[in-house]
Each structure stands twice: as C-alpha cells, then as structure tokens.
Amino acid sequence: MSTVAHPSSSGFERDARLIHGDKPVAPGSVAMGVIIGRMSEFFDFFVYGLGSVLVFPKLVFPFAPSPLAAIMMSFAIFPLAFLARPVGSFVFMWIDRNFGRGTKLTVAIVVLGGSTASIAFLPGYESIGYWSVALLALFRLGQGFALGGTWDGLASLLSLNAPPNRRGWYAMIPQLGAPFGFALASVLFGYFVSNLSEADFLDWGWRYPFFVAFAINVVALFARLRIVASPEFGAAMEAQELQARPVFEMLSVHGRDVVLGAFAPLASFAMFHLVTIFPLSWITLHGGQTTSEFLRVQVIGAAVGLVGIVLSGVLADRIGRRSQLMVGAVIIALFSFSAPFLLDAGSTGQDAFIIIGFGILGLSFGQASGVVSSRFGQYYRYTGAALTSDLAWLVGAAFAPLVALGLASNFGIIFIGGYLISGAICTLVALGVTRALDHNR
C-alpha cells in the first residue's frame, strides 16, 4: 500500500540545522526568543483585555441598559479565547506531527496576529447591529484557537538545559513576556486616551494598538523560527524531548497530572486579571482617577511585577519551585484581606492595590508554569505541558474579570477577596496532593 507524504517544514528545519551546525545558538538567544514570543502573545491578549473595558462596551454594546451591563457583556466575550485554546492545541499538535513545527508556528502566529488585527476593522453596533457582537466573538475565538498552536517548546528547551541548582531561574524567564506585553499595551492605549478626544478615540484611535499586534507577531515568528531551526532544538527533538504526541494518548497516561497542573497555579492566574483588567473596569465605573492616570500606574505596576518575577527565580532556587508557589499562594491569600479596601479607597488606595498586587503577582506567577511538569514522562512532556497550560488559564483566568466584577457589583467589593482566597486554597491543595503523590512513588 502506498502512502502519501504530507508537505512538511521538517526537512527545511533539518537543512537549516546542517547549514548552521557550526553556529550553536547561545542560551541567551534562546531566552530572548522565548521572551519575545511570550511578549507577543500577551500583547495580543492584553490589547483585547484593555479594549474590552475602554472600547467594546460603547462600540459593540451601546444597547446595554447601563455602563455596568455593557462591561459585563463585553467580559462575557472575554473567556471565549480560553475556551478555544485547548481546541487549538489539539488541532495544532496534529499539524506539528504531520507538517512540522515551523509550519505549525507560522500558521498559528499568522492566525493570532490576523485575528487581533482584524478587530481593528470591527464596525460598531450602530453600523451593522448584532453582527458586530458576532464578529467580535469570532475574532476572540480566533485569538484563542491560534494561541493553542504557539506552544513552541522553547521554554522546555530552556528547562532541559537548566543546571539542577538553577531551575527556578530558568523557569521564570518565559514569564517575563507578560509584564513587557502588558506595559506595551498600556502605553499604547494610554497615549491615545491622553491625546485624543473621547469621540476620536472611539472612532479610530483605539484601532492602532490592534494594528501593531500583527507587526509584533511577525517579529516574534522569525525570532522563534530561528531557534526551532537550531542544532540544540534539533537534538532535543531527536531525543524525543520536544515531540508532539496525540493528546488523548497523553491523557490516558497523565490525565491526573494534567488536572493537578491546571489547579496548581490557580492563585496566581486568578490574581493575574484582578490586577490588570478588572481594576480598570472598576475605576471606569466608579472613578477615583482618570483612565490615562490609571494606565500610567499600571505600567509602573508591570515594572514592579517584572522585578517580582526575577526575584521568584532567585527564591525558587533556594527553597524549591513548588515551595515558592505555595508561599506565593499564602501571600495572595493575605493580600486578599486588604485588596478590596485598597481598590475602594480613592486614587492612593488604587495605586497601592496595583503596585503591591503586581509585586505579589510577579513572585507567584514567575514559577506558575511547569511547576508540576516534572511529573510528565519525557515522552509526553511537550504535549502534557501545553495542555496543562491551556487548562490552567481556562480554570484560573478566563472568567476572572466577569466573576470579579459581578461579585463586586452585586454583593460588594469585599467579595473579590473571597475570590482570591478560593484560588489560593486550590493552589495549596493541588500542590499538597502532588507532594503526597511524589512521596508515595
């Protein structure tokens, strides 16, 4: 029986490794490729997140009976990307196996950048009615579906090359992309909010950050493809450390580990949108300071979060990554008692909420990815880590802005403290279970 070979980028990747076999990629270049790649992904999602507060409630949901209802409707579209992401992982893992890692990354990043840039052309409800809502939902689904295919294995390559006493440091490097992406998105939105009238901002100014996303994704694509075509990456692929495996096959072996991995970082992922997207919605509705002032404070907060991520790597190498994540969950639980009062205490309290919150988030988020990846066998680690990350974001972050705003608006802002505590408890329980399972091995 004859078989038909699929056109694949794998051959080109092998040729590139032969051509550049005498020019190994330095660890710093791998780290830079990881950071640029993650920054582009977070930028796409943060641009959308900021737009879901500053733009879409007025552009897409002007028919809502109140400003609160408009933001709640906008936040109801927000989780669609996280729901689509595991589906994207399933499809793109198949593309990876059949057409090569380069093909998978190129298609995924073009779809991701294209979905984000398409939002820049979105007509409002006043122009096309409910089709505006449908298009926004479609582009948001496209973002999430594509993000499922951007898992490139570069973070795993860093981890594989990490000395035993530096694993915490290497684990935090991919997380640095988040504050960079958020700061860039906030600076762009802040510039247009500060320099345009509200009418001009809602007419055309808000569209420019979405245009920028496509250019950033193109740069990130070339940075990642260069590493994928490196001898080091090829060696890891040949050793089966970074091979894509069928998702259901992996789940049959490591289903329990995927579930535990999804709940282990819940505290930091719940905190993630409570210091980025949710507080912007709260000050938009209840005041305290202007939007441009608040965005400037969030950029400062992102810088503090960056420092926190770096410190998490230092601390994790001293006390262990799992212990670091447990400490972070306890600190988040303690912060939850003061967080509601800070956010409701005017501009000074809001600034303190953002800056302190970002610092705590950095300490926890810096070790949130891959804390239980060691439980995956070498054969399934690449696929297992990808799906675990998808589910962790879905469970911990997807509905956070919607739930937090709903709780705070209907029952009082003190309830966001309860939301944070519940995330911290889930993290501590999941980590406790993984520790007990490891001891019983």
Side-chain angles (χ1 to χ4, degrees):
M1 181 182 293
S2 62
T3 59
V4 179
H6 298 294
S8 171
S9 66
S10 299
F12 295 107
E13 293 158 25
R14 286 191 296 269
D15 292 343
R17 288 166 194 146
L18 291 173
I19 294 171
H20 300 289
D22 60 338
K23 300 176 183 177
V25 177
S29 297
V30 178
M32 187 58 65
V34 171
I35 293 171
I36 291 174
R38 292 294 176 86
M39 183 198 74
S40 68
E41 296 166 10
F42 280 110
F43 177 81
D44 283 54
F45 270 58
F46 279 131
V47 163
Y48 182 91
L50 296 176
S52 69
V53 176
L54 301 177
V55 180
F56 305 140
K58 296 177 181 178
L59 182 76
V60 182
F61 302 101
F63 55 85
S66 67
L68 171 63
I71 294 180
M72 291 291 287
M73 290 178 182
S74 181
F75 279 170
I77 304 293
F78 187 86
L80 293 180
F82 298 92
L83 291 168
R85 184 173 171 176
V87 179
S89 287
F90 183 86
V91 172
F92 280 105
M93 285 291 175
W94 179 84
I95 293 176
D96 193 332
R97 294 194 304 274
N98 290 277
F99 298 95
R101 186 71 46 89
T103 299
K104 168 197 162 183
L105 280 177
T106 302
V107 173
I109 293 176
V110 168
V111 173
L112 176 60
S115 297
T116 306
S118 295
I119 297 174
F121 299 96
L122 182 71
Y125 176 84
E126 301 296 339
S127 300
I128 59 173
Y130 287 107
W131 282 108
S132 181
V133 180
L135 286 174
L136 181 63
L138 176 65
F139 296 146
R140 184 59 171 164
L141 286 168
Q143 280 188 315
F145 178 81
L147 192 66
T150 60
W151 191 265
D152 49 23
L154 297 186
S156 298
L157 183 61
L158 273 178
S159 177
L160 292 171
N161 292 326
N165 62 338
R166 299 282 284 170
R167 287 174 180 165
W169 180 263
Y170 279 71
M172 70 83 187
I173 290 176
Q175 309 299 77
L176 294 172
F180 281 121
F182 180 71
L184 181 56
S186 297
V187 166
L188 285 173
F189 265 102
Y191 174 81
F192 288 106
V193 167
S194 301
N195 292 280
L196 296 177
S197 66
E198 182 178 7
D200 285 341
F201 174 74
L202 290 174
D203 182 31
W204 57 269
W206 69 271
R207 302 178 188 274
Y208 279 86
F210 288 87
F211 285 131
V212 171
F214 193 85
I216 292 177
N217 276 279
V218 170
V219 173
L221 173 61
F222 284 102
R224 295 161 102 164
L225 289 178
R226 178 174 178 268
I227 308 300
V228 168
S230 68
E232 293 85 353
F233 197 95
M237 287 283 288
E238 291 170 6
Q240 299 186 336
E241 292 278 7
L242 299 177
Q243 291 280 7
R245 305 298 176 190
V247 172
F248 290 116
E249 178 185 325
M250 181 276 298
L251 288 174
S252 68
V253 179
H254 288 287
R256 181 176 62 183
D257 298 318
V258 170
V259 173
L260 290 173
F263 280 91
L266 198 63
S268 60
F269 283 8
M271 182 87 165
F272 196 86
H273 284 140
L274 290 189
V275 297
T276 54
I277 307 304
F278 166 72
L280 182 60
S281 70
W282 190 256
I283 71 106
T284 299
L285 292 169
H286 300 282
Q289 55 188 305
T290 66
T291 299
S292 59
E293 290 171 342
F294 194 70
L295 288 173
R296 281 195 290 270
V297 174
Q298 287 199 304
V299 173
I300 296 172
V304 174
L306 187 72
V307 174
I309 291 173
V310 173
L311 287 177
S312 78
V314 176
L315 293 174
D317 286 332
R318 292 177 179 270
I319 65 175
R321 287 179 292 170
R322 185 158 50 194
S323 296
Q324 167 69 17
L325 202 56
M326 294 181 79
V327 169
V330 171
I331 296 175
I332 289 173
L334 294 174
F335 177 70
S336 68
F337 290 101
S338 62
F341 302 102
L342 290 174
L343 195 55
D344 207 27
S347 60
T348 302
Q350 291 166 356
D351 292 351
F353 173 88
I354 293 300
I355 293 172
I356 296 172
F358 262 104
I360 295 172
L361 175 63
L363 286 172
S364 179
F365 182 69
Q367 300 299 315
S369 293
V371 70
V372 294
S373 62
S374 60
R375 296 184 58 80
F376 291 102
Q378 172 183 317
Y379 189 78
Y380 293 110
R381 184 169 297 175
Y382 174 79
T383 303
L387 188 61
T388 299
S389 178
D390 294 344
L391 296 180
W393 282 106
L394 174 60
V395 174
F399 298 92
L402 179 66
V403 172
L405 185 59
L407 288 174
S409 300
N410 290 288
F411 303 103
I413 197 169
I414 195 171
F415 274 80
I416 68 168
Y419 185 80
L420 285 173
I421 289 176
S422 66
I425 292 173
C426 288
T427 289
L428 292 172
V429 170
L431 292 175
V433 170
T434 61
R435 177 169 288 177
L437 290 173
D438 287 345
H439 286 165
N440 292 332
R441 278 183 171 181

